[in-house]
Amino acid sequence: MTDAFFPDIERIAYEGRDSDNPLAFRWYDADRVVGDRTMAEHLRFGVCYWHSFAWDGSDIFGAGTLDRPWNPATASGAAAGMEPMAAAKSKMAAAFEFFEKLGAPFFAFHDVDIAPAGSTFRESSRNLDEMVDEAAAHMERTGTKLLWGTTNAFSHPRFMAGAATNPDPAMFRYAAAQVVSCMNATNRLGGANYVLWGGREGYETLLNTDMKREIDQLGRFMNMVVEHKYAIGFDGALLIEPKPMEPTKHQYDYDVATVYAFLQKYGLENEIKVNIEVNHATLSGHDFHHEVATAVNNGIFGSIDANAGDDRLGWDLDMFPRSVEQMTLGMLEILRGGGFTTGGLMFDTKLRRQSTDRNDLFHGHIGAMDVLARSLLAAQRLLDVGELEQCRAARYAGWNDADGAAIMNGEITLAELHEQRLADDVEPITQSGRQEYLENIVARTIERTI
Amino acid sequence: MTDAFFPDIERIAYEGRDSDNPLAFRWYDADRVVGDRTMAEHLRFGVCYWHSFAWDGSDIFGAGTLDRPWNPATASGAAAGMEPMAAAKSKMAAAFEFFEKLGAPFFAFHDVDIAPAGSTFRESSRNLDEMVDEAAAHMERTGTKLLWGTTNAFSHPRFMAGAATNPDPAMFRYAAAQVVSCMNATNRLGGANYVLWGGREGYETLLNTDMKREIDQLGRFMNMVVEHKYAIGFDGALLIEPKPMEPTKHQYDYDVATVYAFLQKYGLENEIKVNIEVNHATLSGHDFHHEVATAVNNGIFGSIDANAGDDRLGWDLDMFPRSVEQMTLGMLEILRGGGFTTGGLMFDTKLRRQSTDRNDLFHGHIGAMDVLARSLLAAQRLLDVGELEQCRAARYAGWNDADGAAIMNGEITLAELHEQRLADDVEPITQSGRQEYLENIVARTIERTI
Amino acid sequence: MTDAFFPDIERIAYEGRDSDNPLAFRWYDADRVVGDRTMAEHLRFGVCYWHSFAWDGSDIFGAGTLDRPWNPATASGAAAGMEPMAAAKSKMAAAFEFFEKLGAPFFAFHDVDIAPAGSTFRESSRNLDEMVDEAAAHMERTGTKLLWGTTNAFSHPRFMAGAATNPDPAMFRYAAAQVVSCMNATNRLGGANYVLWGGREGYETLLNTDMKREIDQLGRFMNMVVEHKYAIGFDGALLIEPKPMEPTKHQYDYDVATVYAFLQKYGLENEIKVNIEVNHATLSGHDFHHEVATAVNNGIFGSIDANAGDDRLGWDLDMFPRSVEQMTLGMLEILRGGGFTTGGLMFDTKLRRQSTDRNDLFHGHIGAMDVLARSLLAAQRLLDVGELEQCRAARYAGWNDADGAAIMNGEITLAELHEQRLADDVEPITQSGRQEYLENIVARTIERTI
Amino acid sequence: MTDAFFPDIERIAYEGRDSDNPLAFRWYDADRVVGDRTMAEHLRFGVCYWHSFAWDGSDIFGAGTLDRPWNPATASGAAAGMEPMAAAKSKMAAAFEFFEKLGAPFFAFHDVDIAPAGSTFRESSRNLDEMVDEAAAHMERTGTKLLWGTTNAFSHPRFMAGAATNPDPAMFRYAAAQVVSCMNATNRLGGANYVLWGGREGYETLLNTDMKREIDQLGRFMNMVVEHKYAIGFDGALLIEPKPMEPTKHQYDYDVATVYAFLQKYGLENEIKVNIEVNHATLSGHDFHHEVATAVNNGIFGSIDANAGDDRLGWDLDMFPRSVEQMTLGMLEILRGGGFTTGGLMFDTKLRRQSTDRNDLFHGHIGAMDVLARSLLAAQRLLDVGELEQCRAARYAGWNDADGAAIMNGEITLAELHEQRLADDVEPITQSGRQEYLENIVARTIERTI
């Protein structure tokens, strides 16, 4: 079965910067040591099942375009007309062939990506269980590990008004059942994390929405998820994935700060972390590295969906990352925060709809892995050289003396500072922020990365 | 002095819907009872000092255009060349003439709006004290009250890198001193609130910024402000004003949810509320009424800066509100939340730079007050008629029965819900969200407002 | 067949402003005379086939939700499992039942909306011909007219890289053939216009795109369309529909100005006009009324897709219009331009995905028709009262005297104006633009509309 | 005088990629041959007078921050209190010291940047003439050349409602006079271009604006400018600079396509080209390289304002360019179009307001020049290696055969293509667009640039 779907591809090798082979890595060298660990340990790359194996290239304006012989929804091969479970196994064979040839250590899935829906929940669960067995065998065979599992509680019409935040508790219950199945599956497959993306947890209009009630429901749901995690002994991390909009007009998990407000309100800030997606960050008005820094600062940094948007467009594009300049800033914040523990860099990325060849999947992922490997090297070099960190630290030096500490330690009142100032005629001196100088350091560091 | 600046304007009267007088109210009838209080009590209109009296019409591409004889920076009258304190008094006379003729019950100011900077902080403080005396006399004479005072800790170059979040503690100290002066002034004038807008509390680039440290500084500062409030016996509310960007690339008080995260983290959620600006809301990607609802839901709703942006433009325009359709939705959320306590509707609005006549100030405010009065009436009517509230409540009816309550009360686990679903073959039925139907109700209600 | 699909709906009647009947018009009174014609003649409402009858409620994140018994893709009724041509006839019966009961005088369609694709182009053409016969009979029976036909040359995978602008001439040829079929069908049904929306005429990346070549292809294609129009004696108007983005990253027909540049370059400015969509206008950074004015000013105003976007979201929402405040400004520009000739107000609108009831189609359209009827009345009143037009004209009065005319007639050179200014020491006086005053006039006029 | 302002800076030298000297070029090597000319000939760098020498660091929220001893508006040195013409000469000495030390071959100015306004136009003209003499001497001395001159007809209150598009012809006349003075000055200084940026040529609201009339005025004005160019024998190019918004709500020169529509309508498409600014491009919803390609395709490519925006912010930031990834795509389109003739890369860039040191001006420009030099090298390498061009050409190969040519030559009708398709049962085959593969080529090429 191994070579059924990508017959002309061998395992992708690291060939170094001078290679012209488009099917080789030029930067991602899994065993290379960077700082305190290997590249593979730093980056923890994962491939997603949904865009790369379940999607056929359809968009809101047109039908599927991609050559996906394992996908019975496409007409391009033997899978057309296959029985659902057989098709699911064919798709899984394709996926693991890809994971293995690419050399990505991890993958991620939604329940519905790997197992076809049955006519009842019971039947869907049976399908899932069977496919989890199948996945376990593939994982054993290939050594691929599970970065995270997640539940699709947004595609079925029953979830059109949300899952946990649905006005109808029947849908909350359905989602709860589905999450149990999928958490159990994730646990069985040794998943490092379990992710909750708020697919339709949000609203179209406040005219028909009781936002307070819905967010209270979400708070309850998340607490139940935490309880279930302990009940089943799942030792991975729970992650919420912020997104500001789409499919709903407003998504409750708008950005990292909003999620942090939610977690604190419902007593979850020590139980749940965030899975930050680059394109979701930019849609919410934030640079990716801002969102990472916000999560790190609040102790809720979990994992990354490593993709890219288009800065001229207002929807989620899930492009493959291609900017070393931008991802270096993101990797820098990740390294400043100590790097990944359970998390990793998941390619929640989709090929452009016109990239119809099966092998375009390799080109997309290889390019992205090289971009991120190079960004890691540049970020580590920024830390190693240290000028950036020193400049930044020097700017705050005044806070390290006794007077600065007195303020931060609460030893002085506003009124006392007022008195001091009344007695002081000296205007404090400003210092240049040196932004352009620092940007030049970053540019120089990226270009010198080797 | 009273009639020095707007000689052709009488006190603006309510003349009713059929009036063609552009200098009369058609909707704002201060004593009309709406629901549980009068319009004046509901709306608590305030006029701002900065845009309306201190600004000369300059923008980043050009010089002042406005006919402002009280402003020595303009060449249009007697104030040109005036000594600073005399000019400040002239400006204050103009402002109170306007407040009184407009019939707005409140005003608001920054310290630097009413008092000229001296060559030292001590001198600035003396100027402020003297102008506060002057203001107190005007307030006594006219009956105008203070909605809020606030400190300008962003215009002076010393604050180019922030005030409380400055890398240099000297600037934190300076801002602290200034806030004490201005809080004391606000207290003396019986201000209903004290507002903290994070002028330059944010960053231009993370390359030179330690965001965690800066937000910790802000947390400390806000706690000191709370302590000072109690120390001086100020019984108004403390309000943070969210804004996502501008002047800095990223402002720490991005939106209501971000501020709520901050307040919880630093133990301030019961001490500080928010002052929501319409145009700041839209710049942060949110509808105004979303931000109101978010604040109400979290118990931190304080006050409103009632202005408008331009939905095609990406900066703060501070236009006069002109959409009854949009403000009705905002007023609805305010009424749902119980209406204002200390807060009100502050016109943080500026005339377009080409609206150069002094009397344009009246046209801007009269139009805005009528828009908001009509929006209040429409919102109250929506509640009185009740169909919208009933439709919304009906949508959540399932949560009120025993099974729904069991979930929210924590009486059932995720695993139990999973078991139930496994045993249940019935697919839950979805209900129409009826958005267009509800929008028609709102449209009909607005047009029927009388 | 007539009452098969909306059994509980009678023909929607005009009941006037005081009606509480949600299934009646309160403003749209077809025979009421407004200015120089009736409301029906002014507004020329059309219902679209695609969103209202062909769409099942699916979006990029989920499956169809809508109760559409005529749609075999949905599971909600007898159509499930129908043979394609029988299903197409069922859908058409539903559509004409709706058109007639709503009382919309026009409809519009894509070829693929009304006729199923065959396995070859020949077979698709036969299907189309047969369905055109069926439509002709319905039109005859109900009196519904065709506002425009259009070709879907974007949904099939063959058009993934465009139709006329495809890198492969085979796709250009295919689209050409399809356009001939659809223009012929439109001609036969007496269509008032034929619309060309550039579905995927644009690019995803310039890396693989020769933009000059593609736009030259488009220029050739449009010239061929014009020739075909004359060849078949079609006396309707040809319209291009601008859109800035989506589905492609950049659509060549970005906005009205861009289309006007294209038309001039390829000698088409007297042959093709524009069909302006409200939501496309706002996505391109323009107010809707700006786009109308731009088209009118350049003599290329054709027709309108009357919908609305969400000003916080960056994609095409196609909501039902609900803002009288905004549509009044659009109607004003339409009236200033002399009103519609061949064009009309097409509801290229879709229900929200949660508005699942069949009758929600009525609520959406009734609300929209009332919004536009009321906007028409307000715009006409603005013209009738005349203050706005007088204020605007007065502002330009200086251009009507001899000196102004000398400039515009080319009778004076720049150097002569320079000489005059050197000799003139008088600084010209500025006049207030009075924006807020004028906005108050508009607000007052809208609220007084009866 | 030479070393008065930047005493610690020597002429910036090229030291190569391995240099750690922040005050040296690592990529910009003026005499290095790239393709068919030297780097200096390719890039034609220019420094702007306005942001770099006239601006004091003020923004809409605060006062000047920058250490600019030549600027009497700042308090930081000897210029404070200087007489206007003496201050202007001091500023010019600083500017030319900078130009020379940086080694930028060109500069650009507004009339008001170099000469103080007098109390009458005559006096302003005399000031300008005197400063032009001064500039001529500096240019002679240093070898610096003038890339372009331009008129500031937007900062003075008289231009608050536009210059050529003003409702009052007196302002049109004033602007005309000013343009004559500035064109004459530009001609005398041997300027390579004369630029017209539509400062306030646009509107705030259509309520008071007759857009058609105003654009007709602009068409007349531009025709007069062309006539004047020939009258004075100016052999530089005339350039319009597109911008979509800011300071006005809508700027008439929205983007390149809009300007091209305007030029064609008023018969100017062979007389005026465009000066494209990177940050204006992105504000108008376009990538920079899209705007370059659009201009090249229509034969109106002139020059570049080489700066950068912030993709999260909605206003003009005029940052120094720092992305090799993005500028490579722009340089590629410039090279595809044949490179600059009269145009060049003007740094219409401003330091961040916190970059207060004089020497930050060097860091900003050096970094930007290196970014652009490296982008030029990468773009040239993409052309030299040729794979990108070959892939693109191959995609369109079908258009080069007889059938493709027959279409483009107008030898076949739509009806004939329809007949052919009816007879053809073969579905055309799609080809992958290979976007990710091509993006990987670009990434590899940039990193290999040496």
Side-chain angles (χ1 to χ4, degrees), chain A residues 398-412 417 420, chain B residues 169-170 172-173:
Chain A
W399 286 98
N400 297 331
D401 65 21
D403 282 358
I407 293 172
M408 292 308 292
N409 295 337
E411 296 163 8
I412 193 160
L417 292 175
Q420 290 179 0
Chain B
F172 180 110
R173 286 190 195 101

Short mmCIF file of all heavy atoms in Angstrom, two decimals, chain A residues 398-412 417 420, chain B residues 169-170 172-173:
data_model
loop_
_atom_site.label_atom_id
_atom_site.label_comp_id
_atom_site.label_asym_id
_atom_site.label_seq_id
_atom_site.Cartn_x
_atom_site.Cartn_y
_atom_site.Cartn_z
N GLY A 398 16.19 51.60 34.22
CA GLY A 398 15.76 52.45 35.33
C GLY A 398 14.83 51.74 36.31
O GLY A 398 14.74 52.12 37.48
N TRP A 399 14.15 50.71 35.82
CA TRP A 399 13.22 50.00 36.70
C TRP A 399 13.92 49.05 37.66
O TRP A 399 13.28 48.52 38.59
CB TRP A 399 12.20 49.22 35.87
CG TRP A 399 11.19 50.13 35.25
CD1 TRP A 399 11.19 50.61 33.97
CD2 TRP A 399 10.04 50.69 35.88
NE1 TRP A 399 10.11 51.45 33.77
CE2 TRP A 399 9.38 51.50 34.94
CE3 TRP A 399 9.50 50.59 37.18
CZ2 TRP A 399 8.23 52.21 35.23
CZ3 TRP A 399 8.34 51.29 37.47
CH2 TRP A 399 7.71 52.10 36.50
N ASN A 400 15.20 48.83 37.40
CA ASN A 400 15.90 47.87 38.25
C ASN A 400 16.52 48.51 39.50
O ASN A 400 16.97 47.81 40.39
CB ASN A 400 17.00 47.17 37.45
CG ASN A 400 16.39 46.37 36.31
OD1 ASN A 400 15.25 45.91 36.41
ND2 ASN A 400 17.12 46.26 35.21
N ASP A 401 16.51 49.85 39.54
CA ASP A 401 17.10 50.46 40.72
C ASP A 401 16.06 50.54 41.85
O ASP A 401 14.91 50.11 41.70
CB ASP A 401 17.72 51.82 40.38
CG ASP A 401 16.68 52.84 39.96
OD1 ASP A 401 15.47 52.68 40.28
OD2 ASP A 401 17.07 53.81 39.28
N ALA A 402 16.48 51.08 42.95
CA ALA A 402 15.63 51.06 44.15
C ALA A 402 14.33 51.83 43.94
O ALA A 402 13.26 51.38 44.37
CB ALA A 402 16.41 51.66 45.33
N ASP A 403 14.42 52.97 43.26
CA ASP A 403 13.22 53.77 43.08
C ASP A 403 12.21 53.05 42.19
O ASP A 403 11.00 53.07 42.45
CB ASP A 403 13.57 55.11 42.43
CG ASP A 403 14.18 56.07 43.44
OD1 ASP A 403 14.27 55.70 44.63
OD2 ASP A 403 14.55 57.19 43.03
N GLY A 404 12.72 52.41 41.14
CA GLY A 404 11.83 51.65 40.26
C GLY A 404 11.20 50.49 41.01
O GLY A 404 9.98 50.26 40.93
N ALA A 405 12.02 49.79 41.77
CA ALA A 405 11.51 48.64 42.52
C ALA A 405 10.47 49.07 43.55
O ALA A 405 9.49 48.37 43.79
CB ALA A 405 12.68 47.91 43.19
N ALA A 406 10.69 50.23 44.13
CA ALA A 406 9.74 50.72 45.15
C ALA A 406 8.35 50.90 44.55
O ALA A 406 7.34 50.62 45.21
CB ALA A 406 10.24 52.06 45.72
N ILE A 407 8.33 51.36 43.34
CA ILE A 407 7.03 51.50 42.68
C ILE A 407 6.39 50.13 42.48
O ILE A 407 5.25 49.89 42.87
CB ILE A 407 7.19 52.22 41.33
CG1 ILE A 407 7.61 53.67 41.53
CG2 ILE A 407 5.89 52.13 40.53
CD1 ILE A 407 7.98 54.40 40.25
N MET A 408 7.16 49.23 41.86
CA MET A 408 6.57 47.93 41.51
C MET A 408 6.23 47.11 42.74
O MET A 408 5.33 46.27 42.69
CB MET A 408 7.51 47.16 40.58
CG MET A 408 7.66 47.80 39.20
SD MET A 408 6.07 48.17 38.34
CE MET A 408 5.49 46.52 38.01
N ASN A 409 6.94 47.35 43.83
CA ASN A 409 6.66 46.61 45.05
C ASN A 409 5.54 47.24 45.88
O ASN A 409 5.24 46.76 46.98
CB ASN A 409 7.92 46.53 45.93
CG ASN A 409 9.00 45.72 45.23
OD1 ASN A 409 8.70 44.91 44.35
ND2 ASN A 409 10.25 45.97 45.62
N GLY A 410 4.98 48.31 45.39
CA GLY A 410 3.87 48.92 46.11
C GLY A 410 4.30 49.70 47.33
O GLY A 410 3.52 49.89 48.27
N GLU A 411 5.54 50.18 47.35
CA GLU A 411 6.04 50.87 48.53
C GLU A 411 5.83 52.37 48.48
O GLU A 411 6.24 53.10 49.38
CB GLU A 411 7.54 50.58 48.70
CG GLU A 411 7.80 49.11 48.97
CD GLU A 411 9.25 48.73 48.74
OE1 GLU A 411 10.09 49.64 48.53
OE2 GLU A 411 9.53 47.51 48.75
N ILE A 412 5.24 52.85 47.43
CA ILE A 412 5.07 54.30 47.30
C ILE A 412 3.69 54.56 46.72
O ILE A 412 3.17 53.76 45.95
CB ILE A 412 6.22 54.90 46.45
CG1 ILE A 412 6.24 56.42 46.58
CG2 ILE A 412 6.11 54.46 44.99
CD1 ILE A 412 7.59 57.01 46.16
N LEU A 417 4.40 60.27 44.89
CA LEU A 417 5.05 60.60 43.62
C LEU A 417 4.70 62.02 43.19
O LEU A 417 5.52 62.73 42.61
CB LEU A 417 4.64 59.59 42.53
CG LEU A 417 5.18 58.17 42.73
CD1 LEU A 417 4.60 57.23 41.66
CD2 LEU A 417 6.70 58.14 42.68
N GLN A 420 6.87 64.37 45.19
CA GLN A 420 8.24 64.39 44.65
C GLN A 420 8.34 65.27 43.42
O GLN A 420 9.27 66.04 43.23
CB GLN A 420 8.69 62.97 44.28
CG GLN A 420 8.92 62.05 45.48
CD GLN A 420 9.33 60.65 45.05
OE1 GLN A 420 9.44 60.37 43.86
NE2 GLN A 420 9.54 59.77 46.02
N PRO B 169 11.21 54.86 34.37
CA PRO B 169 10.30 55.12 35.49
C PRO B 169 10.11 56.62 35.76
O PRO B 169 9.12 56.99 36.40
CB PRO B 169 10.98 54.41 36.68
CG PRO B 169 12.38 54.16 36.26
CD PRO B 169 12.39 54.06 34.77
N ALA B 170 11.00 57.45 35.25
CA ALA B 170 10.81 58.89 35.45
C ALA B 170 9.51 59.36 34.82
O ALA B 170 8.86 60.28 35.32
CB ALA B 170 12.00 59.66 34.86
N PHE B 172 6.84 57.40 34.30
CA PHE B 172 5.78 56.85 35.15
C PHE B 172 5.53 57.81 36.30
O PHE B 172 4.38 58.16 36.60
CB PHE B 172 6.24 55.47 35.66
CG PHE B 172 5.28 54.74 36.55
CD1 PHE B 172 4.64 53.59 36.10
CD2 PHE B 172 5.04 55.15 37.85
CE1 PHE B 172 3.77 52.88 36.92
CE2 PHE B 172 4.17 54.45 38.68
CZ PHE B 172 3.55 53.32 38.23
N ARG B 173 6.59 58.26 36.92
CA ARG B 173 6.45 59.17 38.07
C ARG B 173 5.79 60.48 37.66
O ARG B 173 4.95 61.01 38.39
CB ARG B 173 7.83 59.47 38.65
CG ARG B 173 8.43 58.34 39.42
CD ARG B 173 9.69 58.81 40.16
NE ARG B 173 10.42 57.64 40.59
CZ ARG B 173 11.50 57.17 39.98
NH1 ARG B 173 12.01 57.80 38.92
NH2 ARG B 173 12.07 56.07 40.41
#
